[in-house]
Amino acid sequence: METITTLLSQQHHDCDKLFAQAEESVATTQWECASVDFDRFRAAMEQHFIREEQILFPQVENHMGHTEGPTAVMRMEHQQMRQIFTEMAACIAHLDQEQYLGLAETLLILMQQHNAKEEQILYPMSDNLLNHQLPSLLEQLHQLGNNKA
Amino acid sequence: MNITQLTLEQTPPLSVPFRFFLTAPLFGILAALLLLGSGPTIFSSRWSLEVITLTHLLTLGFISMVIFGAFLQFLPVLVGSPVPYPRLVSTLLHLLLTIGSLSLTSGFMMTQVVLIEMALVLLGLSFIGFMSIIGYSLIRTKSNAATVTAMRLAWLALAITVVLGLILGTGFGYGYNLSSLAKLTNLHLGWGLLGWVGLLIIGVAYQVVPMFQITPPYPAMVKRWLTPLIFLTLLTWSGFYWLFNLNNFSWILFGLMDLIGIEFSLFALVTLQLQSWRLRKLPDVTLDYWRIGMIGLLLSFILGLAGLIWSDLSDTPIYQLQLGILFIAGFILPVIQGMLYKIVPFLIWLHWQNQQLNILTPVRLVKIPHMKQIIPDRWARYQLWVYFISLILLIIVALYPSKLIYGVSMSFMLAFALLTYNLYRSLWLYWSVSQQLIAKSMMENPIS
Ligand code: HEM
């Protein structure tokens, strides 16, 4: 059965693959591929963030009655990652391999510990809290993806 | 799982884990000095005071030290409950563990009962404190994830290890002959190395191996069964070992020990296989350290099997010592060093980030360095090589004791000195960038 946990965790794994591909292209100085790969990675991440920020988190916050707490931390980490994306894009524009790889290492750990917190705490909790409206929520999460694609 | 507590405050101050991480390599240097001072005779018997001192410089001063720091840092993230009064708690635990380890080891070296008695109190307090904090979180969390299960089992193993250690230490204080306590000692070291540290590494691997290199996850069967199985096997072995006369049951004991070996080898093989399927193919010091560790683990098992087949080998007085050396220096130490090279730069980076968020306007005024600038790959790799060479030399010396021991101790000293350099340099960088961040914020908001 599809749940918030399975759907959004799968997106993390898809993004991981795109991350690795972009990093590989930079490491082998195939800058044209790198640019394409990085854009795909960034777009996939952005889409995932938007699904959370615009659909999932508001529902969770609604339920908890406030916007502080876990979703605020997740939003903040999204911002941190976006900041690194911007810097990585600049590296690709300037063909700066060393800086890119260093940023990629940093992003990877940030992203993975963020994902772990979501997959192990936030998503299961959301599945629980939002149990009654799960089908419509999943529908919305799917739709947002399709519109953008 | 109290979700509302999952807040920014969950990241404890940098000094909380770092005091442990920065003390650990110094104990490594002490261990190397001890090797240097003892010379070729050190590995002639398991029961020498030098060996027991050396073991505890590493197991308490290095291994437990790093684990304490890592737990205080990551437990909140893992189970969603922050450690209370983090500064106070970490200061106390750190002092107790550091002074306790020093007085235990110097007590052994100088056969000073007073020092050992003092150590028992200090170490007892530090482990009881640590275990209460960890235990509380592990009980409270409702998660049954494989990592949490592994940690719960490791916790039990640590309790057994510490109780036995305290009993042994007391016996030692009353002047018992060391080898007369051999049965208890073997239980103590079995639960310490295989239970506490071994189970913990497996539990951590479930989380970090897929994360760092982007590999498939560990198979669900392995995650579910492996650590409980190891724990049960160890428990059964202990029961037989303690209750029955050795000679009648030696085949069962050997069989059970080999089963534990097989279980750990399974872990090593699965890990190596997952790593070979990794999507991230770039050279990585942590990855190489882990692969060394897994091979070291497999070699210890092979040596264990060889001892079973050729009793000439296992009857020598240094056979058990050789096993211990392979397991500690070939498996545990590489894995821990590999972890430090990921944890330390990341935490520094994270604290800069948080600092910047707290004190600066949204415009980025100070460009904060990325992880590979905090500990440059080149330096991490030098250190890895020196450690690797030391390990090879150590294995040679453990098999054929000789004057080469002086070379081994020098190269270990260099390896731990380089580790110290890499870690302290990163701290220095942390301070200097932090100062810049603060200075900029003063310029921005002179009033605050
Ligand atoms: C409260 C902390 C501890 C105390 C007081 C303590 C005390 C002792 C004592 C007195 C011995 C010598 C027993 C004998 O030879 O008859 C010993 C042996 C040993 N301990 Fe501990 N220990 C402690 C913690 C640990 C931990 C956490 C580990 C491993 C992770 C460990 C690993 C070992 C090993 C491997 C030996 C065997 C050394 C050899 O055979 O030469 N100990 N311990």
Side-chain angles (χ1 to χ4, degrees), chain A residues 16-17 23 27 69-70 73 76 80 83-84 87 99 102 105-106 108-110 112 120-121 125, chain B residues 3 6-8 207 211-212 214 279-282 342 346 349 353-354 357 364 370-373:
Chain A
D16 286 350
K17 289 192 185 116
E23 190 181 40
V73 181
M76 187 210 57
Q80 291 184 335
Q83 178 77 48
I84 303 185
E87 292 175 30
Q99 179 77 8
E105 172 86 5
T106 314
L108 180 73
I109 313 264
L110 181 65
Q112 297 293 359
Q120 287 162 24
I121 303 181
M125 185 197 74
Chain B
I3 194 69
L6 186 72
T7 54
L8 251 187
Q207 289 277 328
M211 274 169 64
F212 291 160
I214 312 185
L279 288 179
R280 260 188 122 199
K281 299 282 186 194
L282 303 185
K342 284 271 189 266
F346 178 68
W349 182 84
Q353 274 287 333
N354 290 346
L357 285 173
R364 284 209 157 194
H370 57 65
M371 276 175 67
K372 292 194 179 199
Q373 286 162 333

Side-chain angles (χ1 to χ4, degrees), chain A residues 20 96 114:
Chain A
D96 187 345
H114 173 81

Side-chain angles (χ1 to χ4, degrees), chain A residues 59-90:
Chain A
Q59 295 289 346
V60 173
E61 287 158 359
N62 239 343
H63 249 262
M64 302 205 317
H66 59 83
T67 53
E68 289 113 59
T71 49
V73 181
M74 295 299 120
R75 283 179 200 274
M76 187 210 57
E77 289 181 351
H78 288 175
Q79 284 317 110
Q80 291 184 335
M81 286 189 254
R82 286 185 170 116
Q83 178 77 48
I84 303 185
F85 296 155
T86 312
E87 292 175 30
M88 288 167 92

Side-chain angles (χ1 to χ4, degrees), chain B residues 82-258:
Chain B
V83 173
Y85 309 107
R87 269 180 220 276
L88 179 68
V89 166
S90 63
T91 308
L92 279 178
L93 291 183
H94 175 256
L95 280 178
L96 289 170
L97 183 62
T98 306
I99 303 176
S101 307
L102 285 174
S103 70
L104 185 75
T105 46
S106 52
F108 282 149
M109 271 320 273
M110 302 188 282
T111 35
Q112 276 291 332
V113 176
V114 187
L115 283 175
I116 293 180
E117 279 167 352
M118 189 171 100
L120 296 180
V121 175
L122 297 173
L123 290 173
L125 286 175
S126 88
F127 276 99
I128 289 169
F130 173 73
M131 291 180 55
S132 327
I133 293 168
I134 303 305
Y136 178 70
S137 303
L138 288 176
I139 288 174
R140 248 185 33 151
T141 174
K142 297 199 179 64
S143 162
N144 278 319
T147 300
V148 175
T149 306
M151 286 179 173
R152 290 188 177 129
L153 297 173
W155 187 94
L156 287 173
L158 177 62
I160 299 174
T161 310
V162 170
V163 169
L164 292 174
L166 294 177
I167 295 175
L168 286 168
T170 314
F172 187 91
Y174 283 108
Y176 281 93
N177 185 325
L178 280 185
S179 53
S180 70
L181 297 169
K183 245 188 179 182
L184 272 189
T185 310
N186 284 337
L187 289 172
H188 167 71
L189 73 90
W191 283 99
L193 298 177
L194 302 167
W196 153 240
V197 186
L199 290 173
L200 201 58
I201 290 179
I202 297 180
V204 170
Y206 293 158
Q207 289 277 328
V208 303
V209 168
M211 274 169 64
F212 291 160
Q213 255 61 54
I214 312 185
T215 74
Y218 282 80
M221 283 281 279
V222 170
K223 274 169 109 169
R224 178 161 193 162
W225 295 112
L226 188 62
T227 53
L229 213 62
I230 292 178
F231 188 88
L232 282 180
T233 322
L234 197 57
L235 199 63
T236 317
W237 172 83
S238 307
F240 273 101
Y241 185 66
W242 183 242
L243 293 175
F244 297 109
N245 185 317
L246 272 185
N247 298 327
N248 300 339
F249 284 95
S250 67
W251 59 274
I252 297 191
L253 291 177
F254 269 117
L256 286 169
M257 239 331 137
D258 278 310

